[in-house]
Amino acid sequence: MKKIFLSLTVLATSFMVAQNNTSYWQQHADYKMEVDMNVENFLYTGTQELEYTNNSPDTLNKVFYHLFFNAFQPGSEMDVRSRTIQDPDRRVGDRISKLTPEQQGFLRVSSLTQNGKKLTYEEVGTVLEVQLQEPILPGEKSLFKMEFKGQVPEQIRRSGRNNTEGVALSMSQWYPKLAEYDFQGWHADPYIGREFHGVWGDFDVKLTIDKNYTVAATGYLQNADEIGHGYSEEEIDAKGDTHTWHFVAPKVHDFTWAADPEYIHDVRIAKDGTELHFFYKDNEEIKENWKRLQSKTEELLLFFNEKIGPYPWDQYTVAQGGDGGMEYAMLTLITGERSIQSLVGVTAHEMAHAWFQHLMATNESKHEWMDEGFTSFISSKAMNRVMQTDAENPHTGSYRGYLQLANSGVEQPQTTHADRYSLNAAYGATAYSKGAVFLAQLGYVIGRENLDKTLKRYYQDWKFKHPTPNDFIRVAEKVSGAELDWYLMDWTQTTNQIDYAIKNVEEADENSTKITLERIGEMPMPVELSIRFANGDHQIHYIPLQMMRWEKEPETENWIQEKDWAWAYPTYELSIDSPLSEIESIEIDDTKLMADVNRENNVYPSETAEKE
């Protein structure tokens, strides 16, 4: 069923591109690669055939390839940025500057042709600039053939050899990868430290490597019988010193693999039919947790299927490797010497990326929060269920991270390019914490049921289509009926803050109380005012935001809708038909889902007044 689902998706997308080329379109790149890896010196050679389809309305006179491994050389942009930023990633620090020629990484193109004609190209750091012999017209295809060679760097960031846990090869960003071209033009970003954007296509990859190594990879293994399964030891030995592993991967925008001579390989079939593969070191200290991880991974998969939409591929792999946790197509690399809580947590986060990065594939250089933030949001919910934490608000950590950022004085708008944050810490809090709060708080704005529906509609409308922030907020508007452009603009394009206060509470007469609220921050929000009475009664007074042109449905009993509050008015008054003496407390947003930067002024009586 999944293969049928995927095929229908591809056909539907192709039809849409063909029929509606002036509105939505996307490029397509099919790769065939054959690679020989020398595990003695970590040098490899490869050939690549790439069939590129120009679905854009533009004529292309040049193309760009990413050469990611060139970042791991002294003097690279990644090296210099790490040594000049105030708070460098501790995994990188000044390590690149100290690599010897044998420890460095590189990726070099030896030859490149387009439809049989030699091309002129220039290697500029981590980008290959290519001038085409003949332009690629709208709707046309070109066949690029390439020979390349590389050296696997010491494990520093995401990719490399011999990581801290002894995994021999973590092979991400290892091949010349065509840059994405979309409605904003080429995205030939240098590899400085952040994440990626890619072109969907089908991959056919053959990896030849020492026969003692086990390989975990994106895609489906095509020749399991040829690499030892079903053969006697004598027959295997007769095949020589290497094995060739053949993988195919449909409709992905990346291909990653890992290899180690000590990998244990387990397979679990999930209830939805997905094959879950686990590769981890033959280490007695971690085996029990990796066994326990397998049922939890199935639970995570089923949770994401339920809350977002069906995982469309037939396989997902969790492999020990890398330098922390990093998502790739149909596969994640994670460090494996962890507690079970940490092991499940990192798997939850990286697996959620399979939806928000490898199905939606937002441009992470421009909109990193759409991937990291949405992933943090849904993985926190997943952990709350799978690990049976049962927290009322599983996103409190994200709120805490955002509020620290908002009050730090170093916040930059979420529209900042991912490489150009002044601090790594600011990038992290903006992408992960503030990105997660964007969703959790949207549930406060439009209602949690509408948020749940929005995520599912987002999946249905934008899987395999590279959505932008506007695409997401339009889905939320269609689901809820609310006008939400203000929310997207203030939260993501500015550093405007939310700060609402109870300015004054006074007895109007013996039977009523007048409450004056104040908007101190520049960002508007609807307000839910919780009033608790001495007799135990509880009311929620809902104050709609006028610019939303919409009111939220009651979410509790004793829900009282008040008149709209227009943003330009700094204060708002309402009258309660109860004397002040009968009111026990008043609080703005007792759910704490509104990311108010100063909650001390949200409560009456204030803590200061109570102490006095």
Side-chain angles (χ1 to χ4, degrees):
M1 289 300 294
K2 289 189 179 183
K3 290 180 179 177
I4 294 173
F5 169 81
L6 187 58
S7 297
L8 289 174
T9 302
V10 175
L11 287 172
T13 301
S14 300
F15 178 80
M16 180 172 59
V17 168
Q19 298 297 315
N20 197 19
N21 201 37
T22 58
S23 56
Y24 180 80
W25 52 267
Q26 61 176 286
Q27 307 294 63
H28 189 84
D30 291 332
Y31 289 81
K32 286 186 178 181
M33 293 188 284
E34 296 188 7
V35 181
D36 287 291
M37 170 61 71
N38 185 325
V39 298
E40 299 299 324
N41 58 16
F42 299 101
L43 293 170
Y44 61 98
T45 58
T47 61
Q48 180 187 100
E49 289 188 11
L50 191 157
E51 185 180 73
Y52 184 63
T53 304
N54 179 17
N55 289 315
S56 82
D58 306 322
T59 297
L60 304 181
N61 295 297
K62 56 187 176 182
V63 298
F64 300 91
Y65 287 82
H66 296 286
L67 306 174
F68 295 111
F69 272 9
N70 289 348
F72 303 103
Q73 299 173 12
S76 71
E77 288 192 75
M78 182 185 287
D79 171 38
V80 173
R81 177 62 169 166
S82 182
R83 289 187 285 114
T84 55
I85 196 169
Q86 184 177 330
D87 61 336
D89 186 322
R90 288 178 295 177
R91 291 167 293 192
V92 182
D94 63 354
R95 292 176 62 203
I96 296 176
S97 69
K98 298 177 180 178
L99 293 176
T100 67
E102 292 73 27
Q103 295 171 319
Q104 295 171 19
F106 65 73
L107 189 53
R108 296 175 186 145
V109 174
S110 307
S111 67
L112 179 60
T113 63
Q114 176 195 10
N115 300 328
K117 298 178 182 178
K118 289 184 178 181
L119 293 178
T120 301
Y121 53 86
E122 181 181 3
E123 181 183 303
V124 182
T126 59
V127 175
L128 190 75
E129 302 176 353
V130 182
Q131 189 66 40
L132 298 181
Q133 280 279 9
E134 53 191 52
I136 309 175
L137 300 178
E140 286 192 349
K141 296 182 179 182
S142 266
L143 181 64
F144 295 96
K145 291 187 178 182
M146 174 190 292
E147 294 179 347
F148 63 93
K149 58 184 177 181
Q151 178 169 284
V152 186
E154 288 285 326
Q155 178 74 48
I156 290 183
R157 191 68 185 98
R158 300 190 176 102
S159 311
R161 66 195 200 227
N162 302 323
N163 81 344
T164 56
E165 297 178 350
V167 176
L169 290 166
S170 298
M171 296 296 289
S172 55
Q173 291 85 52
W174 59 275
Y175 62 94
K177 180 178 179 180
L178 195 70
E180 178 65 290
Y181 182 88
D182 62 18
F183 70 101
Q184 293 178 310
W186 285 105
H187 297 280
D189 294 285
Y191 185 26
I192 296 174
R194 302 303 178 206
E195 299 181 35
F196 313 102
H197 192 34
V199 190
W200 268 299
D202 298 334
F203 283 71
D204 186 316
V205 181
K206 294 179 179 179
L207 305 170
T208 299
I209 193 170
D210 185 299
K211 68 180 181 183
N212 295 310
Y213 280 62
T214 297
V215 176
T218 295
Y220 312 119
L221 181 62
Q222 301 298 293
N223 62 332
D225 57 338
E226 295 179 13
I227 55 173
H229 297 276
Y231 286 83
S232 68
E233 288 297 323
E234 292 77 12
E235 289 173 315
I236 295 171
D237 290 338
K239 288 179 172 287
D241 296 329
T242 61
H243 289 161
T244 297
W245 300 66
H246 182 195
F247 295 92
V248 296
K251 197 65 174 175
V252 295
H253 55 80
D254 196 15
F255 188 97
T256 296
W257 57 284
D260 192 88
E262 296 180 356
Y263 266 155
I264 294 173
H265 177 205
D266 294 335
V267 181
R268 181 184 181 92
I269 307 299
K271 289 182 180 179
D272 71 339
T274 302
E275 286 189 10
L276 297 173
H277 292 250
F278 301 87
F279 294 82
Y280 53 98
K281 294 279 285 187
D282 188 2
N283 178 348
E284 290 298 328
E285 295 182 1
I286 68 172
K287 285 182 180 179
E288 180 181 352
N289 282 348
W290 274 81
K291 295 292 185 184
R292 294 172 64 189
L293 172 66
Q294 295 170 26
S295 62
K296 294 298 184 183
T297 302
E298 179 180 357
E299 291 181 57
L300 292 168
L301 171 75
L302 299 178
F303 180 87
F304 298 142
N305 283 347
E306 173 192 345
K307 297 300 182 181
I308 311 171
Y311 179 75
W313 295 281
D314 292 330
Q315 180 178 306
Y316 185 81
T317 296
V318 182
Q320 186 179 359
D323 62 355
M326 183 62 197
E327 75 281 359
Y328 299 103
M330 301 173 66
L331 171 149
T332 184
L333 296 178
I334 63 172
T335 47
E337 296 176 3
R338 301 168 176 262
S339 67
I340 186 61
Q341 181 79 18
S342 177
L343 198 61
V344 177
V346 70
T347 302
H349 183 87
E350 306 309 337
M351 189 178 205
H353 279 298
W355 282 260
F356 290 121
Q357 174 52 20
H358 291 286
L359 259 170
M360 306 300 182
T362 52
N363 183 340
E364 292 183 280
S365 293
K366 289 179 174 288
H367 315 301
E368 65 282 354
W369 59 273
M370 291 185 71
D371 177 39
E372 295 296 354
F374 288 19
T375 291
S376 296
F377 171 85
I378 202 68
S379 60
S380 292
K381 288 174 69 74
M383 286 292 287
N384 200 39
R385 177 191 287 186
V386 170
M387 301 307 283
Q388 300 178 341
T389 310
D390 299 324
E392 184 176 350
N393 180 5
H395 312 295
T396 53
S398 294
Y399 277 82
R400 186 166 54 250
Y402 163 67
L403 292 174
Q404 289 174 349
L405 173 70
N407 292 307
S408 69
V410 299
E411 183 182 8
Q412 295 172 248
Q414 284 184 314
T415 49
T416 302
H417 189 284
D419 282 317
R420 292 192 273 282
Y421 281 84
S422 298
L423 297 172
N424 277 320
Y427 162 81
T430 302
Y432 292 76
S433 298
K434 189 175 182 180
V437 173
F438 174 89
L439 277 188
Q441 185 173 246
L442 183 60
Y444 167 84
V445 172
I446 65 174
R448 298 186 193 188
E449 184 176 344
N450 277 331
L451 176 61
D452 291 343
K453 291 178 180 178
T454 295
L455 285 176
K456 293 179 180 179
R457 175 80 176 268
Y458 179 52
Y459 167 92
Q460 287 295 336
D461 290 356
W462 286 100
K463 59 183 181 289
F464 298 113
K465 293 182 189 174
H466 298 304
T468 67
N470 185 66
D471 296 321
F472 177 82
I473 209 67
R474 293 291 291 128
V475 170
E477 288 183 331
K478 292 172 185 176
V479 168
S480 66
E483 296 298 318
L484 296 170
D485 61 319
W486 61 273
Y487 183 69
L488 179 68
M489 174 172 285
D490 276 61
W491 191 257
T492 69
Q493 299 176 29
T494 77
T495 56
N496 289 347
Q497 296 181 344
I498 301 166
D499 186 7
Y500 281 83
I502 299 173
K503 185 176 184 179
N504 189 47
V505 179
E506 60 184 4
E507 196 160 74
D509 55 46
E510 61 182 13
N511 294 314
S512 65
T513 300
K514 184 172 75 171
I515 302 172
T516 302
L517 305 180
E518 182 179 17
R519 177 186 54 76
I520 300 171
E522 294 299 322
M523 182 166 175
M525 287 291 283
V527 173
E528 295 177 19
L529 192 68
S530 171
I531 302 179
R532 297 186 182 277
F533 297 89
N535 64 3
D537 288 347
H538 180 217
Q539 294 176 351
I540 296 292
H541 290 255
Y542 173 64
I543 304 170
L545 179 64
Q546 189 179 86
M547 66 179 68
M548 286 180 66
R549 315 297 175 188
W550 178 87
E551 295 82 33
K552 186 165 67 171
E553 292 293 323
E555 294 194 323
T556 67
E557 295 181 358
N558 301 318
W559 180 279
I560 300 170
Q561 183 170 309
E562 302 288 352
K563 67 179 186 295
D564 291 358
W565 186 348
W567 172 84
Y569 300 129
T571 60
Y572 180 98
E573 293 182 355
L574 73 156
S575 180
I576 305 299
D577 294 332
S578 296
L580 181 57
S581 60
E582 294 182 4
I583 294 177
E584 184 176 89
S585 67
I586 306 171
E587 183 175 1
I588 296 173
D589 175 37
D590 63 352
T591 67
K592 298 179 175 56
L593 289 174
M594 186 171 75
D596 195 304
V597 297
N598 179 17
R599 297 203 67 87
E600 291 183 3
N601 58 21
N602 287 24
V603 179
Y604 172 88
S606 67
E607 292 184 5
T608 303
E610 288 181 332
K611 289 177 182 177
E612 293 176 350

